[in-house]
Amino acid sequence: MPPPSLVVAIDGPTASGKGTLARRLARHLGFAHLDSGLLYRAVGLGLLRVGKDPADRAAAAEMARSLDPSGLADPELRSERTGHAASVVAAVPEVRGALLDFQRRFAASPPGGARGVVIDGRDIGTVVCPTADAKIFLDAGVEQRAARREKELRQRGAAIIEGAVLRDLQERDARDRNRAVAPLVRAGDAFVLDTTDMDADQAFREALAYIGSRGFGGPGGPAAEM
Ligand code: CDP
């Protein structure tokens, strides 16, 4: 039997930089990476594509149950419209239940035989992998997160409406924190990393120092990404 895989859980609000940090840590450690937000985005996008309302709970649950994880590279998954739909379907308990198994299997058997996984999301350290070997709660002030998101959108050539990104972020924060099932909360044993005044390099160094303190911060081999 191979040893159980090591799990790094990264949770935090929208646009806190989880994706960038998780990818970088996974590459450094030689772990597989799962961006769990992509699963919710795929459910939201699937509904939009067949003309269904993301708030239609039965349709959302059905879409989650039949999700094909091989479609997670679609660039449309990253759009703001999809992100909005994702945050609506993420409040449906049946959707969360259907996606839980996939995430736990990924954590237990990382693709490519990697010795561990980095999973980022909202409830990884609290619900999906409560016994994770390292837990990071990544945060940053809402104004700072909005500024980062605007910069990212501009780089992608998207049009920005003054104030709209901040409003959307506040709306998503409220939905993530207030939903009945698996709301965004910090796990009691998570390392809190507030990146309001940090750049991506500093955040990476701080996270790595914490992971080192958990006993496995050294670099590893190549790994899979999702
Ligand atoms: O961070 P960002 O809002 O850009 O998006 P994301 O991490 O791709 O997640 C999209 C949406 O899925 C979020 O608004 C959350 O509501 C939801 N989500 C979740 O509920 N649980 C997760 N583990 C990951 C994402």
Side-chain angles (χ1 to χ4, degrees), residues 132-153:
D133 302 274
K135 297 182 186 178
I136 298 172
F137 189 84
L138 202 62
D139 209 349
V142 70
E143 308 266 346
Q144 181 64 22
R145 288 186 282 127
R148 288 179 193 162
R149 176 57 50 90
E150 283 190 10
K151 187 172 163 212
E152 189 187 309
L153 288 169

Side-chain angles (χ1 to χ4, degrees), residues 14-15 18 36-37 40-41 86-87 90 96 121-124 149 172 176 179:
T14 192
K18 300 180 303 288
S36 66
Y40 294 90
R41 284 171 177 266
S87 98
R96 304 202 71 85
R122 302 291 189 286
D123 61 340
I124 309 304
R149 176 57 50 90
R172 270 200 236 176
D176 281 350
R179 68 177 169 232

Side-chain angles (χ1 to χ4, degrees), residues 8-26 33-38 41 78 118-125 136-140 145 148-149 152 169 172-173 176-177 184 193 195 200 203-204 207:
V8 178
I10 304 182
D11 291 304
T14 192
S16 55
K18 300 180 303 288
T20 305
L21 178 65
R23 262 190 305 279
R24 215 161 149 186
L25 284 175
H33 170 223
L34 174 65
D35 171 356
S36 66
L38 276 183
R41 284 171 177 266
R78 305 277 177 192
V118 180
I119 308 186
D120 67 275
R122 302 291 189 286
D123 61 340
I124 309 304
I136 298 172
F137 189 84
L138 202 62
D139 209 349
R145 288 186 282 127
R148 288 179 193 162
R149 176 57 50 90
E152 189 187 309
L169 238 66
R172 270 200 236 176
D173 276 0
D176 281 350
R177 292 185 203 270
L184 171 68
L193 187 51
T195 67
F204 174 68

